[in-house]
């Protein structure tokens, strides 16, 4: 005959699990689970960047510096967007980032292409943006496919 689990032991295990969840570190994007909103940040492409113009735009080293908006614009937008996203942390915790990155032809200033991405995650995603840019510029991926992958990642995983 099987013995049933001791109810006191089961309750203790449950309480321990609840304590772990309640005390889990907050603030890091992986724990905050912030993802781009399809409604607030659907992503907007720059009309200047098409498959036909990539050799004169995103595939030119340093091109993004020529289109990047000033921090005076992005800093004030970030504060407004943090409120829209329900974020209550410090603006230093987030980076106002392009949903479709400048490296992949995203619109530099349209608020629908910018969102308050948590800093640790923003740095991780920068690497992917550079990899996708390299694949577009080498002909391995089309511009549209790279933009689709980037949008999907930020909307589904943050």
């Amino acid at each position: 005959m099987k013995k049933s689990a001791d109810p006191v032991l089961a309750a203790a295990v449950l309480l321990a699990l609840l304590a772990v969840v309640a005390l889990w570190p907050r603030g890091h994007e992986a724990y905050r689970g912030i993802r781009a909103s399809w409604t607030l940040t659907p992503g907007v492409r720059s009309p200047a960047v098409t498959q036909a113009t990539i050799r004169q735009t995103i595939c030119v080293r340093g091109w993004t510096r020529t289109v990047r908006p000033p921090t005076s614009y992005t800093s004030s937008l970030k504060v407004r967007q943090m409120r829209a996203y329900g974020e209550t942390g410090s603006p230093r915790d987030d980076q106002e980032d392009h949903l479709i990155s400048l490296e992949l032809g995203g619109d530099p200033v349209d608020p629908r292409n910018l969102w308050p991405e948590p800093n640790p995650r923003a740095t991780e995603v920068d690497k992917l943006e550079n990899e996708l840019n390299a694949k577009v510029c080498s002909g391995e991926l089309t511009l549209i496919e790279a933009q689709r992958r980037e949008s999907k990642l930020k909307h589904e995983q943050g």
Side-chain angles (χ1 to χ4, degrees):
M1 180 185 265
K2 251 185 168 177
K3 280 190 169 181
S4 61
D6 182 2
V8 173
L9 178 60
V13 169
L14 180 60
L15 284 173
L17 287 173
L18 290 172
V20 167
V21 170
L23 297 174
W24 198 259
R26 305 283 186 232
H28 185 282
E29 66 79 25
Y31 307 128
R32 288 175 26 211
I34 305 302
R35 294 185 305 252
S37 160
W38 285 104
T39 306
L40 298 172
T41 315
V44 177
R45 296 176 179 99
S46 168
V49 181
T50 65
Q51 189 68 44
T53 66
I54 62 172
R55 297 283 169 232
Q56 294 80 43
T57 56
I58 66 168
C59 296
V60 174
R61 186 172 177 84
W63 180 80
T64 59
R65 284 192 300 266
T66 69
V67 297
R68 188 172 305 284
T71 56
S72 58
Y73 173 73
T74 56
S75 293
S76 62
L77 180 61
K78 175 172 51 173
V79 171
R80 290 193 311 272
Q81 288 186 333
M82 286 179 71
R83 282 194 297 265
Y85 268 84
E87 285 296 295
T88 58
S90 168
R92 289 186 306 256
D93 294 339
D94 293 342
Q95 174 181 316
E96 189 67 3
D97 206 6
H98 294 89
L99 186 101
I100 299 174
S101 63
L102 299 179
E103 292 86 350
L104 294 176
D107 189 286
V109 295
D110 191 315
R112 296 169 302 157
N113 193 46
L114 287 148
W115 71 297
E117 186 175 25
N119 273 321
R121 180 64 174 164
T123 301
E124 294 167 11
V125 172
D126 283 347
K127 295 173 191 165
L128 174 70
E129 293 167 356
N130 292 331
E131 290 171 11
L132 288 170
N133 172 274
K135 289 180 179 187
V136 169
C137 294
S138 73
E140 188 178 333
L141 275 180
T142 65
L143 178 62
I144 293 293
E145 176 59 20
Q147 291 170 337
R148 186 195 66 74
R149 288 182 186 185
E150 181 179 35
S151 176
K152 182 177 189 239
L153 172 78
K154 292 177 181 180
H155 283 114
E156 292 179 3
Q157 297 175 28

